[in-house]
Amino acid sequence: MTLQYDNVSYTYSGGTAGVFDVSLEIGRGELLAIIGASGSGKSTLLKLLAGFVKPDRGRILIDGHDVGHLAPEARRLGVVFQNYALFPHMRLWENVAYPLKVRGISRDERRSRAVEMLGRVGMHSRADDLPAALSGGQQQRVALARALVFEPQGLLLDEPLSALDAGLRMEMRDEILRVQRQSGIATLLVTHDQEEALSIADKVVMMRDGRLVQIGTPRDLYETPADASVAAFVGQSNLWPGEVSGDGMVSTDIGTLSCDTAGWAPGAKVTVLVRPERVEPITGGVDTAKPGEFAGTMAADRYLGPVRRLDLAVAGGFIRLETHLREPLTGASIPPGAIRLLPPT
């Protein structure tokens, strides 16, 4: 089964917010994540696919069939919400079996299928418990089982992990990916957590102001962002305005850098991107005569356990870098291969 948006637009009444001219396809077994700032349109895309709102233009297709006229319950899509939405008075197997109950499946078959699905998410032994007896992560496992028990045509995940603490989010990311791969189901994940998207998605879509800015693999968005807004949203970044000063050279506020300027003529205005982990720390002597080598002092030192994220104050600005070194730094070096030139902001 495939899920598809065909040139879809939708505008909320009384305003200009919505989504515009969106075309996307999610293949069988593929997990596509949508990221973007609040108001970018990512949740609206999920609502359009689920049938909670109907497009002003374009088509919503499931396995090639236009489902724009179908009510949400007729689209056979499993949905997992961020607040779990479990019935507090029902036992876990009854919660999971609820989609089967509304479809007229017998009680014995409902329980059998629900308990089997609970087993797939590691909750088999808790089938007769009430939701109040579970942790947040366990409740989200039950919600995932309920979304899959009726063998839906697609799976929609609406910020499913935002209510969990950091440790549980990592655990549940792996769990969602395992169950999704096991089911081989086309899946749409809406999330504000770009680490979550990068870690489990086959493809990632970046939204801004209701439009697609970039779609690609997680590596595409991180290593070859379309513009500075994508680079700033996906991961940590150094972004400096610059100007190509010659073949293989770019001038910035912090100094001149050597890099690949292919495709950019001398005098071209650019945005210079350097990821913090690509900056090389210096703990000894600094040769400031070399392009890309800077003496500096630490303006901020954030201890993150495995790494430190530092802001190094240099002439003309700051360089952010990440390092496992514990000793004080005297400077930093930015190798040519660490630099990517983007369109000017």
Side-chain angles (χ1 to χ4, degrees):
M1 292 290 179
T2 59
L3 309 176
Q4 186 178 357
Y5 301 84
D6 180 21
N7 202 34
V8 170
S9 293
Y10 172 81
T11 304
Y12 288 98
S13 60
T16 58
V19 297
F20 310 100
D21 305 316
V22 172
S23 292
L24 276 176
E25 183 172 337
I26 309 170
R28 177 176 175 81
E30 184 175 57
L31 195 158
L32 183 141
I34 301 179
I35 61 174
S38 296
S40 62
K42 55 187 186 296
S43 292
T44 302
L45 282 180
L46 184 143
K47 292 175 183 177
L48 285 161
L49 187 53
F52 301 149
V53 296
K54 296 186 182 299
D56 299 327
R57 294 194 312 275
R59 299 183 300 162
I60 302 294
L61 306 169
I62 297 179
D63 206 27
H65 300 289
D66 189 344
V67 297
H69 62 289
L70 296 180
E73 60 272 17
R75 298 190 183 193
R76 290 192 59 211
L77 297 172
V79 185
V80 178
F81 301 100
Q82 67 184 72
N83 62 353
Y84 323 133
L86 301 179
F87 299 112
H89 62 287
M90 291 185 181
R91 289 171 289 179
L92 299 189
W93 78 262
E94 292 171 317
N95 266 281
V96 174
Y98 188 78
L100 302 177
K101 181 177 181 179
V102 299
R103 288 167 172 79
I105 306 299
S106 69
R107 177 183 171 86
D108 287 346
E109 185 177 350
R110 292 201 309 266
R111 179 178 173 92
S112 175
R113 288 170 62 175
V115 171
E116 179 184 356
M117 184 56 66
L118 282 168
R120 288 173 61 181
V121 297
M123 296 294 294
H124 180 276
S125 63
R126 307 295 296 273
D128 290 314
D129 288 351
L130 293 174
L134 305 183
S135 68
Q138 290 170 327
Q139 289 189 55
Q140 198 60 291
R141 281 190 169 93
V142 176
L144 180 60
R146 182 180 58 188
L148 292 170
V149 72
F150 64 101
E151 298 178 349
Q153 298 183 100
L155 178 62
L156 311 182
L157 305 172
D158 185 14
E159 304 269 10
L161 308 181
S162 61
L164 305 179
D165 62 38
L168 275 177
R169 282 203 301 272
M170 292 182 64
E171 180 182 331
M172 281 303 300
R173 282 204 304 256
D174 294 341
E175 186 68 18
I176 285 173
L177 185 60
R178 181 187 68 80
V179 174
Q180 188 266 341
R181 292 291 191 250
Q182 189 178 61
S183 302
I185 190 171
T187 301
L188 175 68
L189 166 67
V190 169
T191 179
H192 68 277
D193 186 338
Q194 38 98 357
E195 181 180 313
E196 180 181 308
L198 295 180
S199 65
I200 66 174
D202 298 297
K203 290 182 182 176
V204 180
V205 172
M206 173 77 180
M207 296 284 295
R208 183 174 64 233
D209 298 330
R211 299 185 184 275
L212 303 187
V213 179
Q214 186 172 358
I215 178 170
T217 66
R219 177 167 291 187
D220 289 337
L221 268 71
Y222 188 80
E223 297 188 359
T224 57
D227 59 28
S229 72
V230 179
F233 193 86
V234 181
Q236 298 291 317
S237 57
N238 293 287
L239 292 165
W240 301 295
E243 180 178 322
V244 176
S245 54
D247 185 23
M249 305 293 289
V250 61
S251 298
T252 73
D253 289 343
I254 65 168
T256 300
L257 301 170
S258 297
C259 65
D260 182 2
T261 57
W264 298 92
K269 302 295 185 182
V270 295
T271 298
V272 178
L273 165 66
V274 177
R275 295 294 187 184
E277 70 275 9
R278 301 293 302 278
V279 179
E280 298 176 355
I282 299 174
T283 58
V286 181
D287 184 358
T288 55
K290 288 183 180 179
E293 196 156 315
F294 303 91
T297 57
M298 286 190 291
D301 187 349
R302 307 168 189 86
Y303 178 75
L304 303 178
V307 299
R308 294 158 69 201
R309 184 174 295 146
L310 310 173
D311 289 346
L312 191 72
V314 300
F318 296 88
I319 300 173
R320 176 163 291 181
L321 67 151
E322 292 182 357
T323 178
H324 66 279
L325 298 177
R326 297 309 195 230
E327 58 263 44
L329 305 187
T330 55
S333 175
I334 302 176
I339 299 169
R340 181 165 293 279
L341 303 185
L342 304 175
T345 302

